[in-house]
Amino acid sequence: MPASKPSTDDTFSLSRRNFLQSGCVTVTGLSLLENLVIQELAAAPTSADQNAPALNRFPRMVQEYFVERVREQEAKTIAQLDALKTKADAEAYVESVQKRIREAFGPEPERTPLKAKVTKTTDRDTYTIENIVFESRPGFLVTANLYIPKGITKPVPGVVGTCGHSHNGKAETAYQSFSQGLARKGYVVLIYDPIGQGERIQYSGDDLKSTIGVGVREHLHGGNQQFLVGENLSMWRAWDGVRALDYLLTRKEVDPKQVGVTGNSGGGTMTTWLCGVEPRWTMAAPSCFVTTFRRNMENELPADTEQCPPKVLALELDHADFLAAQAPNPVRILSKERDYFDVRGAREAYLRLKRLYKLLGHEDNVSHFVGPTYHGYSQENREAMYEWFNKATGISDEDKEPKLTIEKDETLWCTPKGSVADLGSKPIHEFTAERSRELAKQRKTKSGAALQSAVAETLRLKHVEGTPDYRILRNRGGKGYPAKYAITYAVETEPGIQAVVYRVSDERLYSRPPQNAGKKATLYLSHVSADAELKEEPLLKTASQDKERVLYTCDVRGIGESLPDTTNPNSFFTPYGSDYFYAAHSVMLDDPYLGQKTFDALRVLDWLAANGHTDVHLIGRGWGALPATFAALFSPHVKQVTLKNALTSFSDVAETEHYHWPLSTLVPNVLTSFDLPECYADLKRSKGLTQIAPWGAKGADS
């Protein structure tokens, strides 16, 4: 997680108005409905209120909903810890977190040959630096520097260094500093470049520079896509660290009984995760990361894809539990008083660990250091790490940092031009594409009940009996909608969540929907905002002219009237913004955001049926076409379906280098079970599906 705001991709920095207007259609072979839509495409809006900001009366709704859910999970975690009374209880808890971490991260991949090569050696006064390239997976190259103290006569302690969000990876001054500092104290140190940083750019242009942005942007772009095929960047990043340890232990200079791991920020993340997935460490010191998931959620702090492991909250795990997996080995949490990683959470994590370690009889093996300054692996934190590792190994009694010599980036390059792409390393998106194609061969085409079962399981759909309650909001006039009046109903789909429904007609209403309006209705699931789309979307003008059906629109959670104003200002469409923030937490809760939105649509359909509308034409546009697709599979009240700008397939997103669909529209593990064309085929057979101008992987730019 960087201290500065990441750069913004053009696709996600579109204004809401421009985003709503994107897309195009052709006239060949269109239905009557589609031709009516085309006739309206060029129609200019006439409302004087056309440029008014879109309505958003529930901007904090989604934030408070997720805060409550994360608090509930934390309470369960704390209850487990509070129940521990004996050493045997503590040992069972350690074993439990190890198993749950493995479930979250998934099985280890095959340990293939490292094929390590030393490409260069640099001689310095008290140590040498070897530049090394190895494969963590076949064809997937890792670049690393090995710092070796001179004069070694017997094996000495080794340390794997993990990097935070630096554009130059292992060559960043702070990361060179701790590597050199440890080497000068007698440790062998292997520090490696993270995916998407330093020499390991995955989206490389002809100039070998990243085409989308180093670090955060590459992590999000590659990591979000991986979820579709059942992979996760948390494990991919951690596996690089495991293989780095594998290589370190091949060196005769290293004592395999004394190996540690440390890193800062994103490297603090990896240090923490590596404690959970790798049992061979004997000491650890994560810096500027450890806090609690609750503090991050409450503080509206987004985190990279690899910092949001799948199911981790559902499995009642927190940051401290990854360190507990190492108990009772020595662990020191390194924090900063002025960090954006909340030091209160770090303190809470430490106290949980201290109680566990006390039950295990090693209370002194856990520690918490708080530096006085801002985020970063600054000297005071590095010296606290030296002190801790020296206490664990006894190799040195010198905790102060010696004078250092910071190398030029090129000196530490392991590749001729500073890029593994120049050596033909397979980029991460190619692995994802290959996995998608493998899954397509393995999947059996589903329809009917089998498809419903697969969709319900993958989306984690809940089933609730009864009719949802609702609020009737005050009328807002002069909106420029295609009918004269609109009344707003806030339908409570579950506690704390309102799906905002407009009834649009030429009839002025102040109360509940008329109970004698007939069975037929149209329900439109908006792309981004029903309020804005009612002014601009030709489908809605056409639907309003159908006098046999009453027109309703719906903003499911997280868009339109509940579009969050959280995280960074005006961040919703940015890769690191509020929409991503809640989608990532949904992954950790094992409750896909798209499944939650589909649940909202189904509850609104139940509400319509309770008001007499049991013959519904369901229309979805863009992002809204996805919950519309899934809701139509289940609701008996949907008799007809129209989708505009619907995603062609999840496979299209998984099998391309660049895509423009946000994480909120993607479903973890979906391609292990089904894909969208199966849903469309089923709806074509059963509910006369009409598709208009589908969007491919690049959305409106497809």
Side-chain angles (χ1 to χ4, degrees), residues 103-104 308-317 460 587-590:
E103 182 179 348
C308 303
K311 300 201 297 186
V312 68
L313 286 169
L315 291 166
E316 298 169 19
L317 294 166
R460 305 291 191 262
V587 171
M588 292 193 286
L589 287 163
D590 194 27

Side-chain angles (χ1 to χ4, degrees), residues 4-5 72 150 181 282 291 432 459 497 568 684-685 687:
S4 59
K5 183 179 177 180
E72 289 173 359
K150 290 182 176 179
T282 62
T291 178
T432 302
L459 294 183
I497 292 294
N568 298 311
K684 184 73 174 178
R685 286 191 299 269
K687 299 186 178 181

Side-chain angles (χ1 to χ4, degrees), residues 112-351:
T112 51
L114 289 166
K115 298 182 181 179
K117 296 180 181 179
V118 177
T119 63
K120 179 182 177 181
T121 301
T122 301
D123 185 66
R124 291 294 179 253
D125 53 351
T126 63
Y127 59 91
T128 59
I129 307 171
E130 292 184 4
N131 297 354
I132 296 164
V133 179
F134 64 87
E135 291 186 359
S136 62
R137 300 167 188 255
F140 196 52
L141 301 184
V142 180
T143 43
N145 298 139
L146 184 70
Y147 292 76
I148 308 172
K150 290 182 176 179
I152 293 176
T153 58
K154 62 179 181 179
V156 299
V159 174
V160 169
T162 64
C163 299
H165 289 82
S166 54
H167 75 278
N168 55 347
K170 63 191 181 305
E172 167 63 30
T173 297
Y175 306 146
Q176 283 195 53
S177 296
F178 81 69
S179 301
Q180 262 192 58
L182 284 167
R184 289 180 181 275
K185 297 179 189 303
Y187 296 82
V188 176
V189 181
L190 182 71
I191 184 167
Y192 63 96
D193 280 325
I195 293 169
Q197 295 170 233
E199 297 182 79
R200 298 185 67 202
I201 298 302
Q202 302 296 302
Y203 298 89
S204 182
D206 293 339
D207 59 359
L208 301 180
K209 295 180 180 179
S210 178
T211 59
I212 63 174
V214 174
V216 171
R217 292 301 310 283
E218 292 217 352
H219 299 169
L220 297 179
H221 200 64
N224 293 352
Q225 186 184 43
Q226 281 188 315
F227 286 131
L228 291 169
V229 298
E231 298 280 1
N232 69 87
L233 194 61
S234 303
M235 186 59 197
W236 273 70
R237 291 274 319 266
W239 188 243
D240 286 345
V242 171
R243 299 315 312 272
L245 177 59
D246 286 346
Y247 175 76
L248 189 66
L249 293 178
T250 68
R251 301 295 298 233
K252 66 181 187 304
E253 301 95 337
V254 175
D255 178 1
K257 295 181 180 179
Q258 296 190 96
V259 286
V261 59
T262 190
N264 182 78
S265 189
T269 305
M270 282 304 111
T271 300
T272 305
W273 295 171
L274 283 166
C275 284
V277 301
E278 173 53 70
R280 291 174 291 177
W281 310 112
T282 62
M283 55 190 176
S287 177
C288 289
F289 170 71
V290 173
T291 178
T292 66
F293 286 119
R294 175 175 69 89
R295 293 296 185 185
N296 284 348
M297 166 52 69
E298 290 178 344
N299 298 348
E300 302 178 16
L301 186 66
D304 290 23
T305 306
E306 76 274 9
Q307 295 175 313
C308 303
K311 300 201 297 186
V312 68
L313 286 169
L315 291 166
E316 298 169 19
L317 294 166
D318 213 329
H319 291 186
D321 290 307
F322 286 82
L323 303 179
Q326 284 292 312
N329 291 334
V331 172
R332 170 168 279 182
I333 298 170
L334 304 171
S335 302
K336 285 294 191 71
E337 185 63 42
R338 300 186 178 190
D339 200 351
Y340 44 76
F341 284 115
D342 197 332
V343 71
R344 296 175 299 167
R347 176 71 177 170
E348 290 157 4
Y350 162 68
L351 292 175

